[in-house]
Amino acid sequence: MTYETSPSLELFRSGRAELGKVLAGQQELVEQALLTLLCGGHALIEGVPGVAKTLAVKTLARFLALDFRRVQGTPDTMPADILGTNVFSPKTGEFSLHRGPVFTQFLLADEVNRMPPRTQAALLESMEERQVTLDGDTHVLDGYFTVFATQNPLEFEGTYPLPEAQLDRFLMKIRVDYPSAVEERTVLERHHRITAGQRLEDTEIAPMNAGLLQAAREEVRAVNVEPALFDYLLAVVRRTREWPALSLGASPRAAAMLLLVAKAYAARDGRAFLLPDDVKAAATPTLRHRLMLKPEAELEGFSTDRVVFDILAAVPLPK
């Protein structure tokens, strides 16, 4: 299949248009969600209740035209509620696999930080290796398997902080703020126009062209990276390991993920080569959840976003 523009540009053009039918504003959420898909990764979306996190993911799934399942996180959610279990049949005298919602292409783990740690850990293998092991048997998941998880800020009651190993499985952490006054007015107008019996979620969304996502991912892999930019990216990552406000810096895997997301930014802009600005744009959403502040830095009001900004300012640009 041929495209009028590059596959990545086409993906973002149609994605912005279709998601914009439902979401008012939230450009950063839309952009970073599409970038996550472009990289074949998973995303953690954080924001207070009522800022359209779940609606955004459900609309994205409709645009992608992938098989979609949803898990609602609660304190009593068990691993079997996500993975499934082997069930014994008295008729046949055999066990058969009852597949859980993880056996899909696009999984929404809603309010993932309301699940207990044991259940959160049930997603580790599927997110990293795209497979599930039950009773010693390995079941391979779909090649497009993607997890988008939402969570409320940890200051809210009834939440369980995600462990570092779990956070590291997410390619990006997307923060969702309150909409601007103009955007919030648009939200109200759209709800006002909805006729009785309809919902905003029922707005017609044109699905993405078949094969577009795979073509765009291949385009990302083909982005050229000059040697000087490898050194620049590594300098940023390695500086996190010695930054005075951090107790945990970015790992080698974080460096690989940062490179991948930076290449996706280049492809999004229609370029076949990487720029330092791509690394800068990718650094915050890719590293913010992989860094750990020292307690004294938190007391002083620091955030990982601010630390990433300071590190980018301290690392010289390649010549």
Side-chain angles (χ1 to χ4, degrees):
M1 180 179 291
T2 58
Y3 303 98
E4 293 182 6
T5 60
S6 75
S8 298
L9 287 173
E10 178 64 20
L11 175 68
F12 276 86
R13 183 199 63 77
S14 56
R16 292 181 189 117
E18 297 306 315
L19 271 67
K21 294 177 181 178
V22 175
L23 302 175
Q26 305 293 16
Q27 289 92 348
E28 186 174 1
L29 168 58
V30 172
E31 293 284 320
Q32 293 183 3
L34 291 172
L35 284 163
T36 300
L37 291 162
L38 201 55
C39 296
H42 313 285
L44 178 64
I45 305 176
E46 183 181 272
V48 297
V51 290
K53 301 186 300 296
T54 302
L55 177 61
V57 178
K58 290 170 66 177
T59 307
L60 182 62
R62 290 169 58 198
F63 167 67
L64 295 170
L66 298 176
D67 291 335
F68 173 73
R69 301 288 294 275
R70 173 182 175 180
V71 176
Q72 179 60 51
T74 60
D76 61 350
T77 305
M78 300 298 292
D81 296 329
I82 297 176
L83 304 180
T85 186
N86 286 308
V87 179
F88 180 76
S89 171
K91 254 185 199 179
T92 62
E94 298 178 347
F95 284 92
S96 60
L97 175 63
H98 175 73
R99 294 173 178 258
V102 76
F103 289 91
T104 187
Q105 293 178 310
F106 195 97
L107 177 67
L108 166 60
D110 212 4
E111 296 188 299
V112 66
N113 61 334
R114 292 196 181 277
M115 299 179 187
R118 181 184 176 190
T119 307
Q120 292 174 3
L123 285 169
L124 287 174
E125 181 185 14
S126 59
M127 292 175 66
E128 180 66 19
E129 301 176 48
R130 286 182 167 83
Q131 66 180 32
V132 173
T133 302
L134 291 170
D135 296 336
D137 295 325
T138 299
H139 306 274
V140 178
L141 299 175
D142 190 274
Y144 280 109
F145 175 72
T146 301
V147 175
F148 269 61
T150 69
Q151 72 169 15
N152 298 327
L154 298 181
E155 300 82 41
F156 282 73
E157 295 181 7
T159 59
Y160 302 86
L162 294 174
E164 286 72 28
Q166 180 84 52
L167 288 169
D168 200 40
R169 296 306 194 276
F170 290 102
L171 177 69
M172 300 176 76
K173 180 178 180 180
I174 305 170
R175 287 214 168 105
V176 185
D177 295 322
Y178 288 113
S180 67
V182 173
E183 293 166 350
E184 196 161 5
R185 179 185 173 88
T186 303
V187 171
L188 290 176
E189 290 174 345
R190 286 181 177 178
H191 278 278
H192 174 67
R193 287 196 299 266
I194 293 174
T195 59
Q198 288 186 329
R199 301 175 302 165
L200 195 60
E201 292 92 328
D202 297 328
T203 303
E204 186 175 348
I205 300 294
M208 175 187 66
N209 292 331
L212 179 60
L213 181 57
Q214 185 59 38
R217 287 180 176 179
E218 292 171 2
E219 192 173 48
V220 170
R221 288 195 288 268
V223 170
N224 183 54
V225 184
E226 294 293 330
L229 284 170
F230 283 117
D231 295 333
Y232 173 66
L233 188 148
L234 281 174
V236 171
V237 170
R238 294 181 69 85
R239 188 67 68 91
T240 66
R241 301 170 193 166
E242 58 190 35
W243 200 257
L246 295 176
S247 60
L248 178 68
S251 66
R253 174 161 50 184
M257 296 299 99
L258 177 57
L259 175 62
L260 178 60
V261 177
K263 290 169 68 174
Y265 270 96
R268 180 202 66 173
D269 293 341
R271 280 183 283 103
F273 55 90
L274 198 70
L275 294 176
D277 285 347
D278 298 321
V279 177
K280 288 184 173 183
T284 301
T286 309
L287 299 180
R288 60 166 46 128
H289 56 296
R290 293 182 163 96
L291 308 178
M292 184 180 294
L293 290 168
K294 291 181 179 177
E296 54 269 28
E298 288 188 274
L299 290 173
E300 292 176 12
F302 278 81
S303 67
T304 52
D305 284 16
R306 177 179 168 182
V307 169
V308 172
F309 179 82
D310 291 343
I311 289 173
L312 291 172
V315 175
L317 291 172
K319 296 181 180 179

